Amino acid sequence: MKLGFIGLGAMGHSMAGHLHGKGLLAVVGNRTLAKARAFAEERGLRAAASAAAFADCDVVMLCVPMDADVLDNVGGLSTVLMPGSVVVDHSTVSVDTARAACERLAAHGIGFLDAPVSGGVEGAKNGKLSVMVGGAADELEKARTALEAYAARITHMGASGAGQATKAVNQVLVAGINQAVCEGLALGEKLGLDPDKLLPTLMSGAAANWFLDKRGATMLRSEFTPGFKCAHLLKDLRIVREMARAVGVNATVIEQSLSDYAELVERGLGDADTSALITLKRRG
Ligand code: NAP
C-alpha cells in the first residue's frame, strides 16, 4: 500500500510519523510547503507541491482545519487519483462537507471515508486515537491497515457522514468538560487550594477526566500551548449548533461554549489551547 498524508499540524505531524514508522508513507503535503519538505527530507519521502504528487497513492489521508480545506484538497485529488483508491478525512468538518466530498470522489470511482479522530495531540503522538468512520465498509477495509498505525479503536459508525455526526457528539462532551474543569479549577485557585494536592485528588475520584489530567496543571500555570486550538473548537461548535438546531436539542452547553470561545478568539487567543477558557472563569 502506498500512502499520502496532507496536513502536518498538531495532529497530522504525529499521525504521518506513525504511517512512516510502518513503512507505508510515500508523500506528504501541507499548506506551508516548507513544513512538508522538512518532514519529507528527514524521512526520505516526497513532498507534494501539488495534488499531482499523490497520483500513485492507494490511500490519501487529510488532517486539515476547515471544511473549505477538505473540499479544496478533495477537488485536487479527484483529478489525479486512480479509480479504486481512497481518501480518508481525519479533519473535523460538517456532515454536509463529508457527503459532498464523498459524492465528488465517487464520480471518479474514488472512495471516501469521513474519519474524524479523538484523543488529542497526546493520542496522536502515542498512536492511541479513537477513529469514528462514516462511509462504505469495503472502503474502510482498504484503509484499515493504515488507520491501525495510530488508532486505539476504529469504529464503523455507518454511511457517509456518520463519522462526523459522531464527532459532533464528541465535541459537545469536550466543550462541556472544558467548561466544568476550567470553572472548577478557577474556583480552586480563588479558594487558595494547593494544585499539587487538588489535581491528584480530583483525578482519583468521580471527577477524573482526560482534560483535567492532560491540561489541569498547565492551565493553572497559565500555559496554553496547543493542544487543541480555541479557533478549531469554535469551528466545531458552529457545526454542532446547526446540527442541534436541525434536530431540536436543548443546546445550553453549546451556546455558552460558542460565546466563550468566540470571545477568546476575538481577544487574540485563537491559536491558544482550549484550556485558555480558564482566563474567562477567573474574571468572576
Ligand atoms: P493545526 O495544528 O492548525 O494544523 C493544520 C495543518 O493543516 C497545518 O500544518 C496547516 O498548514 C495545514 N493546512 C491548512 N490548510 C491546508 C490546506 N488547505 N491544504 C493543506 N494543508 C493545510 O490543526 P490540528 O490541531 O492538527 O487539527 C487538524 C484537524 O483535526 C482540525 O479539523 C481539527 O479540528 C481536528 N482535530 C484536532 C485535534 C487536536 O487536539 N488538535 C483533535 C482531534 C481533531 P500550515 O503549516 O500552513 O499552518
Side-chain angles (χ1 to χ4, degrees):
M1 194 179 349
K2 199 179 265 190
L3 287 187
F5 200 105
I6 300 176
L8 300 172
M11 298 294 288
H13 194 278
S14 297
M15 294 161 80
H18 288 298
L19 294 173
H20 173 61
K22 295 268 180 199
L24 298 170
L25 194 60
V27 52
V28 288
N30 192 67
R31 179 176 57 189
T32 304
L33 184 57
K35 209 192 269 183
R37 285 202 172 120
F39 186 100
E41 272 167 28
E42 214 174 285
R43 294 164 180 82
L45 307 172
R46 284 184 283 134
S50 72
F54 296 93
D56 58 346
C57 289
D58 304 296
V59 181
V60 179
M61 285 24 195
L62 299 175
C63 193
V64 292
M66 314 293 279
D67 294 57
D69 299 315
V70 172
L71 293 174
D72 281 354
N73 278 288
V74 161
L77 292 169
S78 69
T79 63
V80 297
L81 291 179
M82 297 294 288
S85 57
V86 190
V87 175
V88 180
D89 180 28
H90 290 307
S91 324
T92 304
V93 294
S94 71
V95 169
D96 287 349
T97 292
R99 290 184 182 148
C102 190
E103 272 175 34
R104 175 137 197 200
L105 289 164
H108 298 264
I110 303 162
F112 177 82
L113 298 168
D114 48 299
V117 295
S118 182
V121 291
E122 289 81 356
K125 268 182 200 141
N126 302 332
K128 299 278 182 214
L129 294 168
S130 179
V131 188
M132 33 204 107
V133 184
D138 56 335
E139 303 295 353
L140 173 55
E141 289 322 305
K142 291 184 198 168
R144 187 178 287 278
T145 307
L147 296 176
E148 283 169 350
Y150 41 72
R153 180 186 171 94
I154 301 165
T155 314
H156 186 214
M157 295 300 300
S160 183
Q164 293 297 352
T166 308
K167 177 73 182 188
V169 175
N170 188 83
Q171 294 312 78
V172 178
L173 272 68
V174 162
I177 291 165
N178 287 12
Q179 288 286 346
V181 172
C182 291
E183 202 165 302
L185 293 191
L187 177 65
E189 282 177 334
K190 301 235 169 170
L191 296 176
L193 295 171
D194 177 355
D196 290 339
K197 291 183 184 169
L198 179 63
L199 294 178
T201 302
L202 296 174
M203 278 305 298
S204 301
N209 65 76
W210 185 97
F211 186 65
L212 177 65
D213 183 34
K214 305 289 190 242
R215 304 284 179 264
T218 47
M219 79 171 81
L220 287 174
R221 294 197 298 268
S222 293
E223 293 170 15
F224 305 123
T225 309
F228 183 39
K229 293 173 183 168
C230 290
H232 288 348
L233 183 53
L234 181 60
K235 172 254 311 174
D236 296 355
L237 289 165
R238 286 181 173 139
I239 293 168
V240 172
R241 174 166 62 185
E242 293 313 307
M243 296 173 78
R245 278 182 179 164
V247 295
V249 169
N250 181 329
T252 319
V253 168
I254 298 171
E255 293 299 341
Q256 181 62 50
S257 299
L258 264 167
S259 158
D260 288 345
Y261 283 102
E263 183 178 345
L264 289 166
V265 170
E266 267 166 36
R267 289 171 51 194
L269 290 169
D271 282 344
D273 185 72
T274 55
S275 52
L277 178 63
I278 196 171
T279 60
L280 301 190
K281 303 291 184 184
R282 283 171 176 153
R283 292 188 306 203

